[in-house]
Structure formats: C-alpha cells, structure tokens
C-alpha cells in the first residue's frame, strides 16, 4: 500500500457507517479521488477541521491497486474557508464551486490549471470587496467551461449582450486579480453566467442545485 501526501481541496463529504466519512477531494498531483476517513465523525479525530468544504490541506492517504476508495490517514490544514461563512452569498458561492468541480473533474486526472483556477477564485472571494461573489462565480464558470473543453465561440452567441461578451474577453485574457475595475452585482453579466451554467449542465447531463439558490439571492 503506497503512502502519499498531496496538496488537496476537499470537495464533498458524506457519512459512512457509524463514525466514518466518504470524502471526495481534488489533489494537485493525482486529480480527483475518493476515500474513507475513518473515525472522522468522532469528537477526537486526526482530521480536525481539515475536511470542511473547499479546505486546502496537505492530505496523507494510502491507496491499494484496484480499489476505488483510498484510505485517508490525516491532514494538515493550509487554508480554511471558514472566514467566508459569515456572508451568505459567499457561502452559496462555495457550494457552487465545490459542486461544479465535483461534477466536471474526471477521476484520477491531474489538472494543474483547474487547481490554480480554484485557488484564484477562492482568493478573490476572500477579498470581500463589493460584488466579488458575482465576479468570482462568473470567472470560475467561464474558465471551468473552457478548461473542460466545451466553451463555444461566445462571439457567435446572439443571446449574449455586448457587455457580457466584452467581460468574457477580459476574463479569458487576464487573471481575476488583474481584471479592469468595474462595479459588480448580481445583474452584471447575468446572461453570461446563466449561459455558462446551462453549458455545464448539458455537458454533465444533470441540473445543478446551487444556481437556483444564487438566483434567489
């Protein structure tokens, strides 16, 4: 059984047996994996708060050949997203980022560009500037679609406004931290955001839950 430590984003956890968790996680060097964190639901465990949604951790795990689930041993918390949870909009954005990543990322395929995308988007949310949630969601949706290989030619999309097309061009050519200053709110590039969500839903052949929550904000 090979032991490994990987820089990791936790995507999703759900209960397993009496005291364990099944964890879906995205590693920088091995791609998306799933594993069992034994006794993680007990008050005293080796994981602490490291298995919270989109926590960045150095995760220790071991893997046997021909087994789908790896065994999680421990984790060292590098960055928590706890500071965002006091803002409901940011909390919904975290749900959205985690859900899209869970559905779009294929298992066992490293994707350095997607890992950097998550990092950049989370850093943008932590700025807590006005409208940063909507800018971050739009930027992430655009690049997640492009990195997954099914972003259409937006210039040909007649239902997108000229402003939204201009914003998309800016985002495709600049890091989120270097984008030109503009006021952002829920209505900014809303047609682009909804278009990209439809593209992703059609690609994975399922409806996402969080977009409806976003639209209700």
């Amino acid at each position: 059984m090979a032991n490994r430590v990987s820089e990791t984003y936790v995507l999703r956890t759900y209960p397993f047996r009496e005291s364990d968790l099944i964890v879906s996680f995205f590693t920088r060097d091995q791609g998306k994996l799933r594993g069992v964190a034994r006794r993680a639901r007990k008050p005293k465990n080796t994981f602490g708060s490291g298995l919270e949604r989109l926590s960045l951790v150095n995760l220790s795990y071991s893997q046997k050949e021909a087994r789908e689930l790896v065994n999680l041993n421990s984790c060292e918390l590098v960055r928590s997203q706890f500071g965002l949870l006091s803002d409901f909009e940011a909390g919904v954005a975290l749900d959205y980022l985690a859900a899209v990543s869970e559905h779009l990322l294929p298992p066992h395929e490293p994707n350095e560009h997607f890992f950097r995308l998550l990092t950049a988007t989370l850093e943008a949310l932590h700025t807590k500037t006005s409208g940063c949630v909507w800018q971050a969601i739009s930027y992430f949706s655009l690049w997640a679609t492009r990195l997954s290989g099914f972003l259409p030619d937006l210039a040909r999309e007649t239902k997108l406004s000229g402003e939204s097309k201009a914003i998309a061009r800016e985002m495709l050519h600049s890091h989120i931290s270097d984008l030109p200053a503009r006021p952002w709110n829920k209505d900014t590039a809303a047609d682009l955001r909804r278009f990209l969500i439809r593209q992703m839903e059609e690609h994975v052949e399922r409806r996402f839950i969080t977009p409806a929550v976003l639209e209700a904000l």
Side-chain angles (χ1 to χ4, degrees), residues 4 6-7 25-33 61 105-116 147:
R4 186 183 296 272
S6 296
E7 190 176 6
F25 57 101
F26 177 41
T27 70
R28 190 163 209 155
D29 57 345
Q30 298 294 308
K32 189 180 72 172
L33 302 171
Y61 58 98
L105 289 168
H108 307 288
E109 290 187 18
N111 191 328
E112 174 68 17
H113 292 297
F114 206 106
F115 198 94
R116 291 182 183 180
L147 292 175

Side-chain angles (χ1 to χ4, degrees), residues 10-114:
V10 176
L11 299 180
R12 180 188 178 193
T13 64
Y14 45 97
F16 179 61
R17 296 175 179 164
E18 183 178 349
S19 59
D20 303 341
L21 286 174
I22 297 291
V23 184
S24 176
F25 57 101
F26 177 41
T27 70
R28 190 163 209 155
D29 57 345
Q30 298 294 308
K32 189 180 72 172
L33 302 171
R34 295 171 72 240
V36 180
R38 303 195 185 281
R39 298 178 292 280
R41 297 166 63 198
K42 288 186 174 294
K44 295 183 179 180
N45 63 74
T46 59
F47 301 99
S49 60
L51 297 182
E52 296 298 324
R53 171 195 49 186
L54 289 178
S55 291
L56 178 63
V57 298
N58 290 322
L59 184 65
S60 170
Y61 58 98
S62 50
Q63 187 171 14
K64 289 184 178 179
E65 291 187 11
R67 285 199 177 181
E68 178 185 356
L69 297 176
V70 304
N71 292 319
L72 307 189
N73 303 319
S74 63
C75 66
E76 174 191 3
L77 183 63
V78 177
R79 182 162 196 183
S80 168
Q81 313 308 331
F82 182 78
L84 296 174
L85 299 183
S86 60
D87 184 306
F88 183 71
E89 284 187 356
V92 176
L94 291 178
D95 286 338
Y96 176 75
L97 300 183
V100 169
S101 300
E102 171 76 10
H103 290 306
L104 289 187
L105 289 168
H108 307 288
E109 290 187 18
N111 191 328
E112 174 68 17
H113 292 297
F114 206 106

Side-chain angles (χ1 to χ4, degrees), residues 93 96-97 117-118 120-127 131-143 171 176 179 184 193:
Y96 176 75
L97 300 183
L117 173 62
L118 267 178
T121 306
L122 290 168
E123 288 176 352
L125 288 173
H126 276 280
T127 66
C132 70
V133 165
W134 301 104
Q135 182 189 52
I137 288 172
S138 298
Y139 184 87
F140 177 82
S141 300
L142 180 65
W143 272 100
M171 288 182 165
I176 189 170
L179 288 172
W184 273 88
R193 182 178 71 247

